[in-house]
Amino acid sequence: MEYLRYILKFFYHIRWWIITLPLIAALIAIFATRHLPATYDVKATIYTGIISGYNIESNIGVSISQPSNGMDNLLNIITSESTLKKVAIRLYTKCMIHGSAEQDNNYMQAASFRQWMGTPAEVQSLIDKNDEEKTVKALLAYERPNKNNFIYG
């Protein structure tokens, strides 16, 4: 019981330090980070394998849930944000390169292409009608996490 009294007495004597130092640290952190941007570019890749390292022919250690696990992994890869972004950029590139405002084709209907021709001029200048890979790289380089950026939107 005597130890508890000494500990409480010690904390009582340093109570102002316990209150003041964290407040000073918080104010310094707020002051030092007040001009940092609110958004950040983040890139991550997670590959778990199609069925977590098992194939269809393997019998050893295979349980009934592994094929289901594999399909879940495959669906997660397909619906991940980075995969959807890559597919959307490639689809946009193909449509803008091969589309036509006069007639429908395999890539896009003419009416839809005319709507997409209203994209900003700086984005249209990135489209190289001769090189699809160059266009994809240019569009990805143009993209920034900003709500006013056409490609990010």
Side-chain angles (χ1 to χ4, degrees):
M1 195 64 168
E2 200 65 29
Y3 294 116
L4 182 61
R5 197 170 108 220
Y6 287 129
I7 291 171
L8 291 175
K9 193 175 185 180
F10 171 73
F11 282 124
Y12 181 75
H13 285 300
I14 63 167
R15 69 185 179 275
W16 296 114
W17 289 107
I18 292 173
I19 294 170
T20 308
L21 289 179
L23 286 175
I24 291 172
L27 289 174
I28 290 172
I30 290 169
F31 182 75
T33 60
R34 71 179 185 265
H35 296 296
L36 289 179
T39 59
Y40 303 94
D41 290 329
V42 177
K43 296 179 182 171
T45 302
I46 299 174
Y47 179 72
T48 60
I50 192 150
I51 303 182
S52 301
Y54 291 97
N55 60 23
I56 294 175
E57 288 90 17
S58 69
N59 293 349
I60 303 170
V62 175
S63 70
I64 195 76
S65 67
Q66 285 175 344
S68 174
N69 181 21
M71 293 311 293
D72 288 343
N73 289 342
L74 186 60
L75 287 173
N76 286 337
I77 290 170
I78 290 170
T79 58
S80 73
E81 184 177 347
S82 64
T83 304
L84 292 176
K85 181 177 89 170
K86 289 175 187 175
V87 169
I89 293 287
R90 289 213 173 265
L91 180 62
Y92 178 74
T93 301
K94 282 185 183 286
C95 289
M96 294 308 287
I97 289 175
H98 301 292
S100 171
E102 287 82 35
Q103 73 183 70
D104 297 346
N105 60 27
N106 290 340
Y107 295 97
M108 191 174 220
Q109 293 180 345
S112 299
F113 186 78
R114 285 191 293 271
Q115 285 179 336
W116 279 102
M117 289 308 294
T119 58
E122 65 258 8
V123 175
Q124 288 185 9
S125 68
L126 299 173
I127 297 168
D128 183 0
K129 294 277 190 182
N130 299 321
D131 192 0
E132 187 176 314
E133 287 301 317
K134 184 178 175 184
T135 303
V136 169
K137 287 179 184 177
L139 290 174
L140 288 174
Y142 176 78
E143 179 194 23
R144 292 287 174 255
N146 182 347
K147 65 180 178 179
N148 296 329
N149 186 290
F150 180 79
I151 301 298
Y152 184 74

